[in-house]
Amino acid sequence: MQIHEIMTAAVVTAAPDAPANAVAALMRDHNVGSVVLVDEAGRPVGMVTDRDLAVDILADGVDPETPAEACATAPVVTGDHDMELEEAAALMVGHRIRRLPVMDGDALAGIVTLDDIAVRTGNIEIAQQMTADVARAVFPDFYFHQRGG
């Protein structure tokens, strides 16, 4: 299965200089957890998640009018629309990401998330394994040690 078969084609985007609070409003209005920051040509240059806004802007008391690029992850890891699902999954795990913008040549064509994999493929095991792999890559080992009884 290729990722274009399960991707969400409607990607919520904003300019890198969009205020962080405007990006948060986009997330609320579109019911999404991330916004892809794009340059004038529509190419991804950053990714902002709801967590980025909460941790880097809100929790630190940063001015909500600060450009979103201040809390964005860059450069953006992307996949190709003809990429096989397993290759996309390996890319996401390898880069410790839960969201993968999908490119068709130079154009942003969609986005794939771990939730997409679970819902659209119906394969909960793949999504659970990917989530576990991403979590293990992000968190220190002590989070996964067995607790003594």
Side-chain angles (χ1 to χ4, degrees), residues 120-148:
R120 298 214 175 111
T121 66
N123 193 332
I124 299 301
E125 291 79 23
I126 289 176
Q128 287 174 331
Q129 184 60 50
M130 285 180 62
T131 300
D133 291 346
V134 168
R136 286 193 181 276
V138 172
F139 294 114
D141 285 339
F142 69 82
Y143 282 106
F144 301 100
H145 287 234
Q146 292 288 344
R147 299 278 193 248

mmCIF file of all heavy atoms in Angstrom, residues 120-148:
data_model
loop_
_atom_site.group_PDB
_atom_site.id
_atom_site.type_symbol
_atom_site.label_atom_id
_atom_site.label_comp_id
_atom_site.label_asym_id
_atom_site.label_seq_id
_atom_site.Cartn_x
_atom_site.Cartn_y
_atom_site.Cartn_z
ATOM 1 N N ARG A 120 -7.196 4.191 8.699
ATOM 2 C CA ARG A 120 -7.422 3.937 7.275
ATOM 3 C C ARG A 120 -6.965 2.571 6.811
ATOM 4 O O ARG A 120 -7.459 2.058 5.828
ATOM 5 C CB ARG A 120 -6.775 5.039 6.460
ATOM 6 C CG ARG A 120 -7.439 6.371 6.812
ATOM 7 C CD ARG A 120 -7.521 7.301 5.652
ATOM 8 N NE ARG A 120 -8.257 8.491 6.042
ATOM 9 C CZ ARG A 120 -7.722 9.687 6.170
ATOM 10 N NH1 ARG A 120 -6.459 9.876 5.910
ATOM 11 N NH2 ARG A 120 -8.461 10.701 6.536
ATOM 12 N N THR A 121 -5.988 1.981 7.496
ATOM 13 C CA THR A 121 -5.580 0.641 7.107
ATOM 14 C C THR A 121 -6.321 -0.409 7.914
ATOM 15 O O THR A 121 -6.341 -1.566 7.532
ATOM 16 C CB THR A 121 -4.064 0.414 7.315
ATOM 17 O OG1 THR A 121 -3.775 0.456 8.707
ATOM 18 C CG2 THR A 121 -3.243 1.422 6.553
ATOM 19 N N GLY A 122 -6.890 0.011 9.049
ATOM 20 C CA GLY A 122 -7.560 -0.945 9.915
ATOM 21 C C GLY A 122 -6.582 -1.839 10.644
ATOM 22 O O GLY A 122 -6.970 -2.794 11.294
ATOM 23 N N ASN A 123 -5.278 -1.524 10.535
ATOM 24 C CA ASN A 123 -4.269 -2.357 11.172
ATOM 25 C C ASN A 123 -3.774 -1.681 12.439
ATOM 26 O O ASN A 123 -2.807 -0.933 12.437
ATOM 27 C CB ASN A 123 -3.116 -2.619 10.203
ATOM 28 C CG ASN A 123 -2.216 -3.731 10.699
ATOM 29 O OD1 ASN A 123 -2.100 -3.961 11.898
ATOM 30 N ND2 ASN A 123 -1.575 -4.411 9.771
ATOM 31 N N ILE A 124 -4.458 -1.939 13.510
ATOM 32 C CA ILE A 124 -4.131 -1.340 14.803
ATOM 33 C C ILE A 124 -2.743 -1.777 15.265
ATOM 34 O O ILE A 124 -2.010 -0.991 15.868
ATOM 35 C CB ILE A 124 -5.192 -1.723 15.867
ATOM 36 C CG1 ILE A 124 -6.564 -1.201 15.452
ATOM 37 C CG2 ILE A 124 -4.805 -1.204 17.245
ATOM 38 C CD1 ILE A 124 -6.653 0.294 15.275
ATOM 39 N N GLU A 125 -2.350 -3.000 14.949
ATOM 40 C CA GLU A 125 -1.051 -3.495 15.384
ATOM 41 C C GLU A 125 0.092 -2.668 14.802
ATOM 42 O O GLU A 125 1.057 -2.350 15.496
ATOM 43 C CB GLU A 125 -0.862 -4.975 15.004
ATOM 44 C CG GLU A 125 -1.754 -5.924 15.768
ATOM 45 C CD GLU A 125 -3.180 -5.973 15.233
ATOM 46 O OE1 GLU A 125 -3.397 -5.635 14.047
ATOM 47 O OE2 GLU A 125 -4.081 -6.327 16.011
ATOM 48 N N ILE A 126 -0.003 -2.296 13.512
ATOM 49 C CA ILE A 126 1.044 -1.474 12.897
ATOM 50 C C ILE A 126 1.123 -0.128 13.609
ATOM 51 O O ILE A 126 2.198 0.338 13.966
ATOM 52 C CB ILE A 126 0.782 -1.258 11.385
ATOM 53 C CG1 ILE A 126 1.021 -2.551 10.608
ATOM 54 C CG2 ILE A 126 1.689 -0.157 10.836
ATOM 55 C CD1 ILE A 126 0.691 -2.433 9.131
ATOM 56 N N ALA A 127 -0.015 0.500 13.819
ATOM 57 C CA ALA A 127 -0.035 1.813 14.468
ATOM 58 C C ALA A 127 0.491 1.726 15.896
ATOM 59 O O ALA A 127 1.256 2.590 16.333
ATOM 60 C CB ALA A 127 -1.439 2.391 14.451
ATOM 61 N N GLN A 128 0.097 0.691 16.635
ATOM 62 C CA GLN A 128 0.576 0.541 18.011
ATOM 63 C C GLN A 128 2.087 0.325 18.038
ATOM 64 O O GLN A 128 2.781 0.888 18.877
ATOM 65 C CB GLN A 128 -0.136 -0.622 18.698
ATOM 66 C CG GLN A 128 -1.571 -0.318 19.034
ATOM 67 C CD GLN A 128 -2.314 -1.538 19.575
ATOM 68 O OE1 GLN A 128 -1.998 -2.682 19.246
ATOM 69 N NE2 GLN A 128 -3.303 -1.286 20.405
ATOM 70 N N GLN A 129 2.591 -0.486 17.127
ATOM 71 C CA GLN A 129 4.034 -0.738 17.082
ATOM 72 C C GLN A 129 4.787 0.532 16.723
ATOM 73 O O GLN A 129 5.812 0.849 17.317
ATOM 74 C CB GLN A 129 4.376 -1.852 16.087
ATOM 75 C CG GLN A 129 5.850 -2.211 16.088
ATOM 76 C CD GLN A 129 6.328 -2.692 17.454
ATOM 77 O OE1 GLN A 129 5.729 -3.556 18.062
ATOM 78 N NE2 GLN A 129 7.415 -2.113 17.941
ATOM 79 N N MET A 130 4.264 1.299 15.744
ATOM 80 C CA MET A 130 4.917 2.554 15.371
ATOM 81 C C MET A 130 4.905 3.534 16.529
ATOM 82 O O MET A 130 5.903 4.201 16.800
ATOM 83 C CB MET A 130 4.235 3.178 14.153
ATOM 84 C CG MET A 130 4.562 2.486 12.852
ATOM 85 S SD MET A 130 3.747 3.269 11.463
ATOM 86 C CE MET A 130 4.465 4.899 11.505
ATOM 87 N N THR A 131 3.774 3.646 17.224
ATOM 88 C CA THR A 131 3.679 4.549 18.368
ATOM 89 C C THR A 131 4.684 4.150 19.434
ATOM 90 O O THR A 131 5.386 4.989 19.991
ATOM 91 C CB THR A 131 2.252 4.562 18.940
ATOM 92 O OG1 THR A 131 1.363 5.009 17.921
ATOM 93 C CG2 THR A 131 2.141 5.481 20.145
ATOM 94 N N ALA A 132 4.777 2.857 19.703
ATOM 95 C CA ALA A 132 5.737 2.372 20.695
ATOM 96 C C ALA A 132 7.164 2.668 20.240
ATOM 97 O O ALA A 132 8.000 3.108 21.051
ATOM 98 C CB ALA A 132 5.553 0.872 20.928
ATOM 99 N N ASP A 133 7.468 2.455 18.969
ATOM 100 C CA ASP A 133 8.810 2.717 18.453
ATOM 101 C C ASP A 133 9.161 4.199 18.542
ATOM 102 O O ASP A 133 10.278 4.565 18.917
ATOM 103 C CB ASP A 133 8.945 2.239 17.007
ATOM 104 C CG ASP A 133 8.913 0.723 16.875
ATOM 105 O OD1 ASP A 133 9.045 0.019 17.901
ATOM 106 O OD2 ASP A 133 8.731 0.242 15.735
ATOM 107 N N VAL A 134 8.209 5.066 18.182
ATOM 108 C CA VAL A 134 8.447 6.506 18.265
ATOM 109 C C VAL A 134 8.647 6.904 19.721
ATOM 110 O O VAL A 134 9.566 7.650 20.062
ATOM 111 C CB VAL A 134 7.300 7.313 17.618
ATOM 112 C CG1 VAL A 134 7.410 8.794 17.954
ATOM 113 C CG2 VAL A 134 7.306 7.118 16.102
ATOM 114 N N ALA A 135 7.804 6.395 20.619
ATOM 115 C CA ALA A 135 7.933 6.734 22.042
ATOM 116 C C ALA A 135 9.278 6.270 22.586
ATOM 117 O O ALA A 135 9.949 7.011 23.310
ATOM 118 C CB ALA A 135 6.784 6.101 22.837
ATOM 119 N N ARG A 136 9.689 5.082 22.240
ATOM 120 C CA ARG A 136 10.975 4.570 22.729
ATOM 121 C C ARG A 136 12.135 5.401 22.187
ATOM 122 O O ARG A 136 13.146 5.572 22.859
ATOM 123 C CB ARG A 136 11.161 3.112 22.357
ATOM 124 C CG ARG A 136 10.296 2.201 23.190
ATOM 125 C CD ARG A 136 10.725 0.741 23.032
ATOM 126 N NE ARG A 136 9.866 -0.106 23.822
ATOM 127 C CZ ARG A 136 10.033 -0.348 25.113
ATOM 128 N NH1 ARG A 136 11.023 0.195 25.766
ATOM 129 N NH2 ARG A 136 9.201 -1.134 25.767
ATOM 130 N N ALA A 137 12.000 5.919 20.992
ATOM 131 C CA ALA A 137 13.057 6.747 20.412
ATOM 132 C C ALA A 137 13.128 8.114 21.080
ATOM 133 O O ALA A 137 14.188 8.720 21.150
ATOM 134 C CB ALA A 137 12.825 6.905 18.903
ATOM 135 N N VAL A 138 12.001 8.607 21.574
ATOM 136 C CA VAL A 138 11.935 9.958 22.135
ATOM 137 C C VAL A 138 12.240 9.983 23.621
ATOM 138 O O VAL A 138 12.949 10.855 24.104
ATOM 139 C CB VAL A 138 10.537 10.574 21.873
ATOM 140 C CG1 VAL A 138 10.379 11.894 22.606
ATOM 141 C CG2 VAL A 138 10.330 10.775 20.383
ATOM 142 N N PHE A 139 11.691 9.030 24.387
ATOM 143 C CA PHE A 139 11.811 9.059 25.837
ATOM 144 C C PHE A 139 13.028 8.266 26.313
ATOM 145 O O PHE A 139 13.400 7.269 25.718
ATOM 146 C CB PHE A 139 10.553 8.484 26.489
ATOM 147 C CG PHE A 139 9.335 9.318 26.264
ATOM 148 C CD1 PHE A 139 8.283 8.832 25.515
ATOM 149 C CD2 PHE A 139 9.249 10.600 26.787
ATOM 150 C CE1 PHE A 139 7.156 9.607 25.294
ATOM 151 C CE2 PHE A 139 8.132 11.389 26.579
ATOM 152 C CZ PHE A 139 7.081 10.886 25.822
ATOM 153 N N PRO A 140 13.607 8.692 27.440
ATOM 154 C CA PRO A 140 14.736 7.946 28.013
ATOM 155 C C PRO A 140 14.298 6.536 28.415
ATOM 156 O O PRO A 140 13.138 6.287 28.713
ATOM 157 C CB PRO A 140 15.105 8.767 29.254
ATOM 158 C CG PRO A 140 14.492 10.112 29.056
ATOM 159 C CD PRO A 140 13.285 9.894 28.180
ATOM 160 N N ASP A 141 15.268 5.643 28.434
ATOM 161 C CA ASP A 141 14.989 4.233 28.753
ATOM 162 C C ASP A 141 14.295 4.035 30.084
ATOM 163 O O ASP A 141 13.511 3.107 30.243
ATOM 164 C CB ASP A 141 16.288 3.417 28.750
ATOM 165 C CG ASP A 141 16.798 3.142 27.349
ATOM 166 O OD1 ASP A 141 15.988 3.214 26.400
ATOM 167 O OD2 ASP A 141 17.999 2.859 27.209
ATOM 168 N N PHE A 142 14.555 4.905 31.072
ATOM 169 C CA PHE A 142 13.982 4.654 32.391
ATOM 170 C C PHE A 142 12.462 4.706 32.381
ATOM 171 O O PHE A 142 11.821 4.179 33.272
ATOM 172 C CB PHE A 142 14.558 5.592 33.460
ATOM 173 C CG PHE A 142 14.167 7.039 33.324
ATOM 174 C CD1 PHE A 142 12.937 7.501 33.811
ATOM 175 C CD2 PHE A 142 15.024 7.939 32.727
ATOM 176 C CE1 PHE A 142 12.598 8.840 33.700
ATOM 177 C CE2 PHE A 142 14.700 9.265 32.619
ATOM 178 C CZ PHE A 142 13.477 9.726 33.099
ATOM 179 N N TYR A 143 11.820 5.285 31.379
ATOM 180 C CA TYR A 143 10.375 5.292 31.287
ATOM 181 C C TYR A 143 9.815 3.900 31.015
ATOM 182 O O TYR A 143 8.650 3.640 31.228
ATOM 183 C CB TYR A 143 9.881 6.232 30.183
ATOM 184 C CG TYR A 143 9.898 7.683 30.566
ATOM 185 C CD1 TYR A 143 10.865 8.531 30.039
ATOM 186 C CD2 TYR A 143 8.973 8.213 31.433
ATOM 187 C CE1 TYR A 143 10.898 9.867 30.378
ATOM 188 C CE2 TYR A 143 8.978 9.552 31.785
ATOM 189 C CZ TYR A 143 9.942 10.374 31.242
ATOM 190 O OH TYR A 143 9.972 11.695 31.594
ATOM 191 N N PHE A 144 10.642 2.999 30.519
ATOM 192 C CA PHE A 144 10.171 1.699 30.084
ATOM 193 C C PHE A 144 10.627 0.547 30.949
ATOM 194 O O PHE A 144 10.333 -0.588 30.680
ATOM 195 C CB PHE A 144 10.601 1.458 28.627
ATOM 196 C CG PHE A 144 10.064 2.504 27.700
ATOM 197 C CD1 PHE A 144 10.868 3.550 27.274
ATOM 198 C CD2 PHE A 144 8.732 2.509 27.309
ATOM 199 C CE1 PHE A 144 10.375 4.545 26.441
ATOM 200 C CE2 PHE A 144 8.225 3.501 26.483
ATOM 201 C CZ PHE A 144 9.048 4.518 26.056
ATOM 202 N N HIS A 145 11.357 0.842 32.021
ATOM 203 C CA HIS A 145 11.782 -0.213 32.926
ATOM 204 C C HIS A 145 10.589 -0.768 33.678
ATOM 205 O O HIS A 145 9.658 -0.054 34.023
ATOM 206 C CB HIS A 145 12.826 0.320 33.923
ATOM 207 C CG HIS A 145 14.147 0.542 33.290
ATOM 208 N ND1 HIS A 145 15.290 -0.013 33.787
ATOM 209 C CD2 HIS A 145 14.539 1.238 32.198
ATOM 210 C CE1 HIS A 145 16.313 0.338 33.041
ATOM 211 N NE2 HIS A 145 15.876 1.101 32.064
ATOM 212 N N GLN A 146 10.640 -2.064 33.934
ATOM 213 C CA GLN A 146 9.568 -2.690 34.722
ATOM 214 C C GLN A 146 9.602 -2.160 36.143
ATOM 215 O O GLN A 146 10.678 -2.019 36.736
ATOM 216 C CB GLN A 146 9.764 -4.215 34.741
ATOM 217 C CG GLN A 146 9.550 -4.868 33.398
ATOM 218 C CD GLN A 146 8.091 -4.881 32.996
ATOM 219 O OE1 GLN A 146 7.203 -4.672 33.823
ATOM 220 N NE2 GLN A 146 7.823 -5.097 31.728
ATOM 221 N N ARG A 147 8.452 -1.871 36.662
ATOM 222 C CA ARG A 147 8.351 -1.404 38.047
ATOM 223 C C ARG A 147 8.365 -2.630 38.965
ATOM 224 O O ARG A 147 7.700 -3.612 38.704
ATOM 225 C CB ARG A 147 7.035 -0.640 38.265
ATOM 226 C CG ARG A 147 6.905 0.579 37.393
ATOM 227 C CD ARG A 147 7.664 1.756 38.013
ATOM 228 N NE ARG A 147 7.320 3.008 37.363
ATOM 229 C CZ ARG A 147 8.165 3.698 36.622
ATOM 230 N NH1 ARG A 147 9.368 3.257 36.412
ATOM 231 N NH2 ARG A 147 7.799 4.835 36.088
ATOM 232 N N GLY A 148 9.116 -2.539 40.046
ATOM 233 C CA GLY A 148 9.165 -3.643 41.023
ATOM 234 C C GLY A 148 7.860 -3.741 41.782
ATOM 235 O O GLY A 148 7.135 -2.782 41.939
#
